[in-house]
Amino acid sequence: MADIIQLLPDHVANQIAAGEVVQRPASVVKELLENAIDANATVIKLIIKDAGKTLVQVIDNGKGMSTTDARLSFERHATSKIRTADDLFHLHTKGFRGEALASIAAIAHVELKTKQEQDEVGNSIVIEGSSIVSQEVVVTPKGTSISVKNLFFNIPARRNFLKSNAVEQRHVIDEFHRVALAHPNISFALYNNGSETFNLPISNYRQRIVNIFGNKTNEKLVPVEEVTEVLKISGFVGKPEYAKKTRGEQYFFVNDRFIKSPYLNHAIASAFDGLLKSGNHPSYFLNLTVDPQTIDINIHPTKTEVKFDDEHTLYALLRSAVKHSLGQFNIAPVLDFERDASLDTPYHFNNKESSTPVIEVDRSFNPFKESYASGKQTTAFKKETPSNWDSLYVGLESKGTKTDLDFSEVHFESEETTISAFNDENKIEQTKTTYQIHNKYIVSTIKSGMLVIDQHRAHQRILYEDFLKNLTIKEGVSQQLLFPLELHFSSQEIQIISQLKEDLEHTGFVFSSVTNEIVEITGVPVSVPESEVSIILEQLIGDVENEVPDTHFSATDLLAKSMAKSLAIKRGQSLQKDEQEHLVNKLFACKEPNVSPTNRTTFITMSVDELDKKFI
Ligand code: ADP
Ligand code: MG
C-alpha cells in the first residue's frame, strides 16, 4: 500500500493552532495587548468594532519591529522571547510560544504597521488567511499597530459559533481589565464602536482599580502587603461588608500575568472566614511576585493556569497576609454580646450590604410614614409576623396587591388550579395541618400520604411565575419611594442595567436617571422592600455576567429567576402556620409546581404504602 502520511501545509497547521489560541475576539485582544506590553510600550490603545468581530486594533508606542522581523512575526513558532527550552523558566515576557500572530493571521484579515525608533520609515504588511497580500514601506510613528478584521472570515462555522455582540463585548472588556490591572504603569485606552469607553492614565495600583471600577471602589479597598523569601504579595482586598454574591471582582496576578487559581482563591476565602455572610464572595486584586523558576506557565495555551512548585506555602502565606490586613485595618466582625436579640437583622436582610439598611431604618420611622398606603417599606423588619406574609408574594396580582391579601380569596383561587395542576391522588386535603421542620421544609398531608416541600425552592417558583407574568403582560405594579434611591455601580455594571432597564420597568422599577456610575430609582415593584433593591440588582448583574443571556427571551427569564432567587424566603426562616399554608396553596397554583426555576425538585411525596413499608 502506498504511503499516506503527509505534512500539513502551513496554513492548515496555523488554522488548527488558531483553534487553541483564538476562541473569540477577546483572545485576539489578549494576545495583541500582551505583545504591546512585551514591546515595552507605555501607551496602548485598543479599538474594537462590533465587539471585535469586525475589528480589533491595538496601537502601541513600543519598540517596533525591523523589516525582517515584521515579516517573520507571522511565522509559526517565530518569537523573539525565548531561544531555548530553559528560557521558559526565566520568563519576563507575556508571550513566548510564537503562535499568536501566525494563528490570528490564519483566520482573519490582518494589517501590521511598525517602525523602530532609529528608522526613518516603517513597514506595512497585509496578510489574509496566512497569505501575504502586500508588504511595503510606509510612514508611521514609532511603535506597532496591528488591526485584525473579519475574524474567522474563512471559517464560517467558528464565526457562527460566536455569541451576541453583548456577550463578546463583555469578554473583550474583561480581558482589557485584566491586562490594565496588571500594568498600572502603562496608559491604556479603549475605544468601542467609535466612542472612548476607558481612558486609564499611568497611575498607582489603587487609582487604576478605581479608574476601572468607579470612584466608589476606593473606600472598599484594604491594602495587603507581604514580603517573604519565596513570595511578594501586594494589592488589595475588598472590605467584607462590600462582598458580593458574585465572584465578579477577583483578580490574581502572578508576575503581572492574570491567572485563575481555585486553590489560591480558597486561601483568600478562608482568610475571610467568619467575616462574610454565607454565599458572599470577597473581591480582591492581588499581585504575587515569585521567582519565575518556581512556576510553570506552559500548561495551558491561553496561559491563565499556572503550576506552582510549592502551592501549600503560597496558600498559607496568602491566607495569613490577607488575615493580617483585615485585622490590622480593624475589619473584624462586630461581636456584641449584649445586643438585644429583637434588634437582630431579620433573615431577609442577612445578605444586605451594610450601608443601606441603616438609612432604610431611619426612613421607615420618619414622620411621613403615614403617607404610605400599606406600610410596605417596613415589611422586611417584621418578617416573622403573619400580617406581612403577603410581602413574600411580589407583584402577586396586578390588581389588589396594594392592599393586604385576603386569604380566603387566595385559597379559593388556588383550589381551582390545584385540581388542574395536581392529580386527584396528590390533591392536598383541605385540612389546615402543615408543619415546618428545621425551618426548611413544610410537611403536609395529601390523600395518598404525605407531602414535603422545600420552602426556599417553592417560594422561588411562586415568585418566578409572578415575575414572568408581569414581565410578559408588562403590568408590574410599582410603589413610589419617598426619597429617590441612589445606587452606585461600575460603568460595566451600569451597562448591564441599561440593557435590562426596560424589563426591570415592567416588573415595577422606576428609574429616574441612569448615569455613568449612579442609578437613581424612584419606584420599586410592590412588596420589594426598598432595602433589598441593591441586593436584587447586584444579584441580577452577577447572574447576567455569569450566564450572559443571548436572546431577549432568556434575558427576561434570567431577570425573573434572579429576582425570585433574591426575594424568596430562605432556608432557616421560621414560618407561621398560615404562612405555611399560603405557601403550599400558592405553589400548587403555579403552572409548574414540581420544580424550582432552576429545575430543582420543589417537593416530594411519600405514599402511605411507602410509609407502611418502612414500618414492616
Ligand atoms: P510571542 O509573543 O509568543 O513571541 P507572537 O506571535 O505573539 O509570539 O509574536 C511574534 C513576535 O512578533 C514576538 O516575539 C515579537 O518579537 C514580535 N511582535 C509581536 N507584536 C509586537 C509588537 N506589538 N511590537 C513589537 N514586536 C512585536
Ligand atoms: Mg505574543
Side-chain angles (χ1 to χ4, degrees):
M1 208 171 128
D3 300 335
I4 50 171
I5 297 180
Q6 295 180 3
L7 279 178
L8 286 176
D10 266 359
H11 69 277
V12 179
N14 284 340
Q15 269 195 19
I16 295 172
E20 278 202 338
V21 182
V22 185
Q23 275 109 33
R24 48 179 15 126
S27 330
V28 175
V29 167
K30 173 175 191 282
E31 294 299 336
L32 297 187
L33 290 178
E34 290 189 348
N35 278 348
I37 292 165
D38 285 345
N40 298 329
T42 54
V43 179
I44 300 177
K45 290 184 180 139
L46 168 64
I47 299 161
I48 61 166
K49 280 204 183 116
D50 300 327
K53 290 176 186 172
T54 311
L55 172 73
V56 175
Q57 181 174 15
V58 171
I59 305 171
D60 69 53
N61 66 349
K63 64 181 179 216
M65 283 180 261
S66 70
T67 310
T68 325
D69 281 354
R71 174 64 198 82
L72 213 56
S73 66
F74 289 104
E75 293 298 325
R76 201 141 66 95
H77 305 308
T79 178
S80 55
K81 300 169 193 175
I82 56 170
R83 301 208 176 270
T84 67
D86 207 36
D87 292 344
L88 275 177
F89 298 97
H90 305 96
L91 274 178
H92 291 285
T93 55
K94 307 268 166 207
F96 55 84
R97 299 168 67 110
E99 275 178 333
L101 290 188
S103 300
I104 294 168
I107 50 159
H109 296 152
V110 178
E111 187 176 340
L112 163 79
K113 283 189 183 150
T114 187
K115 184 179 96 68
Q116 293 180 304
E117 178 137 50
Q118 68 277 12
D119 293 341
E120 287 283 298
V121 286
N123 286 280
S124 152
I125 294 181
V126 178
I127 181 164
E128 296 183 353
S130 291
S131 43
I132 303 238
V133 175
S134 73
Q135 173 161 14
E136 55 198 33
V137 172
V138 287
V139 176
T140 180
K142 175 207 164 198
T144 304
S145 155
I146 301 189
S147 48
V148 176
K149 294 180 194 159
N150 310 320
L151 192 66
F152 298 131
F153 78 98
N154 51 357
I155 318 181
R158 297 288 304 277
R159 195 170 170 88
N160 293 338
F161 207 65
L162 292 178
K163 297 275 172 68
S164 68
N165 281 6
V167 175
E168 294 301 341
Q169 187 173 309
R170 277 219 44 76
H171 287 290
V172 167
I173 291 176
D174 278 350
E175 211 57 74
F176 178 79
H177 283 171
R178 291 168 181 179
V179 175
L181 279 171
H183 297 277
N185 54 343
I186 298 176
S187 143
F188 288 92
L190 168 60
Y191 303 87
N192 185 4
N193 290 329
S195 59
E196 186 183 88
T197 317
F198 285 99
N199 189 344
L200 311 171
I202 292 174
S203 61
N204 65 27
Y205 193 42
R206 185 187 269 267
Q207 283 163 340
R208 176 56 53 96
I209 296 172
V210 169
N211 284 338
I212 293 179
F213 295 105
N215 285 330
K216 262 277 176 185
T217 323
N218 200 12
E219 67 197 57
K220 305 182 187 174
L221 301 176
V222 184
V224 180
E225 295 290 338
E226 185 77 59
V227 183
T228 71
E229 264 174 28
V230 282
L231 170 72
K232 182 171 160 257
I233 305 172
S234 73
F236 299 90
V237 292
K239 290 183 185 165
E241 64 262 38
Y242 293 105
K244 293 189 176 183
K245 289 239 156 248
T246 59
R247 295 173 179 273
E249 292 160 11
Q250 300 190 326
Y251 296 90
F252 268 126
F253 301 93
V254 173
N255 296 354
D256 296 339
R257 188 189 297 278
F258 171 83
I259 61 146
K260 294 178 183 157
S261 169
Y263 183 69
L264 295 185
N265 177 59
H266 192 268
I268 304 206
S270 79
F272 273 85
D273 242 4
L275 295 175
L276 293 180
K277 291 164 189 144
S278 83
N280 279 8
H281 302 284
S283 56
Y284 53 82
F285 310 87
L286 292 172
N287 301 298
L288 315 184
T289 314
V290 296
D291 182 343
Q293 292 204 44
T294 64
I295 53 172
D296 182 1
I297 312 162
N298 201 20
I299 52 172
H300 196 264
T302 56
K303 302 173 230 131
T304 50
E305 281 161 40
V306 172
K307 217 167 124 245
F308 297 97
D309 273 0
D310 188 1
E311 260 190 346
H312 295 305
T313 310
L314 292 194
Y315 184 102
L317 287 174
L318 199 56
R319 180 166 178 269
S320 77
V322 172
K323 260 193 147 148
H324 180 72
S325 284
L326 291 173
Q328 196 180 20
F329 290 89
N330 230 350
I331 296 150
V334 184
L335 287 175
D336 181 1
F337 294 107
E338 279 170 17
R339 72 168 180 231
D340 179 351
S342 66
L343 296 176
D344 266 358
T345 313
Y347 198 87
H348 219 68
F349 269 17
N350 261 356
N351 297 319
K352 182 77 193 86
E353 283 189 3
S354 67
S355 53
T356 329
V358 177
I359 302 165
E360 194 46 33
V361 173
D362 289 339
R363 278 187 198 163
S364 306
F365 291 104
N366 81 45
F368 300 107
K369 193 178 157 201
E370 262 62 74
S371 60
Y372 289 104
S374 59
K376 288 275 176 0
Q377 312 279 332
T378 57
T379 50
F381 289 92
K382 307 180 288 175
K383 210 69 213 171
E384 305 289 304
T385 64
S387 62
N388 66 302
W389 169 239
D390 61 307
S391 68
L392 294 175
Y393 298 107
V394 180
L396 188 63
E397 293 290 80
S398 309
K399 294 181 198 73
T401 20
K402 287 224 151 109
T403 56
D404 279 346
L405 279 172
D406 178 352
F407 265 73
S408 58
E409 194 186 306
V410 172
H411 211 128
F412 167 73
E413 169 201 290
S414 57
E415 257 171 58
E416 255 185 2
T417 14
T418 307
I419 294 165
S420 60
F422 222 45
N423 63 31
D424 213 37
E425 266 292 277
N426 288 344
K427 194 177 165 188
I428 303 166
E429 288 184 337
Q430 290 309 310
T431 59
K432 295 250 171 189
T433 40
T434 53
Y435 301 95
Q436 191 184 25
I437 40 181
H438 278 252
N439 289 345
K440 250 200 257 183
Y441 301 106
I442 313 288
V443 180
S444 180
T445 47
I446 48 174
K447 232 180 190 164
S448 63
M450 174 176 112
L451 174 76
V452 185
I453 297 176
D454 179 319
Q455 65 185 44
H456 176 61
R457 291 184 190 170
H459 195 213
Q460 271 194 44
R461 161 56 58 183
I462 296 164
L463 293 176
Y464 168 71
E465 291 200 4
D466 282 338
F467 278 125
L468 217 51
K469 190 171 76 191
N470 286 338
L471 280 164
T472 321
I473 59 174
K474 308 190 169 154
E475 263 189 28
V477 183
S478 117
Q479 57 178 339
Q480 275 278 303
L481 298 178
L482 200 53
F483 303 107
L485 189 63
E486 219 182 75
L487 299 174
H488 292 255
F489 293 100
S490 71
S491 57
Q492 204 173 318
E493 292 169 333
I494 293 278
Q495 229 178 10
I496 293 176
I497 292 182
S498 311
Q499 279 166 19
L500 294 170
K501 188 165 163 264
E502 207 178 305
D503 275 336
L504 283 166
E505 283 166 353
H506 293 151
T507 66
F509 280 100
V510 182
F511 296 93
S512 51
S513 77
V514 178
T515 63
N516 273 346
E517 285 195 3
I518 297 169
V519 173
E520 201 180 78
I521 295 171
T522 51
V524 296
V526 168
S527 299
V528 169
E530 184 182 338
S531 48
E532 296 272 303
V533 172
S534 78
I535 301 181
I536 291 174
L537 291 181
E538 199 186 276
Q539 176 83 54
L540 181 65
I541 290 166
D543 287 346
V544 172
E545 282 179 338
N546 289 339
E547 283 192 31
V548 262
D550 253 350
T551 59
H552 181 253
F553 168 74
S554 59
T556 313
D557 192 61
L558 192 76
L559 174 66
K561 269 187 198 153
S562 176
M563 286 179 59
K565 187 164 69 185
S566 304
L567 285 166
I569 43 166
K570 306 285 184 297
R571 300 195 177 101
Q573 182 171 338
S574 107
L575 299 175
Q576 306 285 327
K577 268 274 182 282
D578 47 359
E579 296 173 334
Q580 299 169 16
E581 280 159 26
H582 197 114
L583 188 77
V584 176
N585 289 330
K586 281 296 292 179
L587 176 65
F588 292 108
C590 282
K591 287 202 183 94
E592 280 185 64
N594 313 33
V595 287
S596 76
T598 46
N599 253 329
R600 304 273 188 76
T601 307
T602 47
F603 67 87
I604 53 157
T605 56
M606 197 176 261
S607 65
V608 178
D609 277 354
E610 285 170 80
L611 284 172
D612 286 346
K613 275 185 203 143
K614 294 208 182 286
F615 289 100
I616 288 173

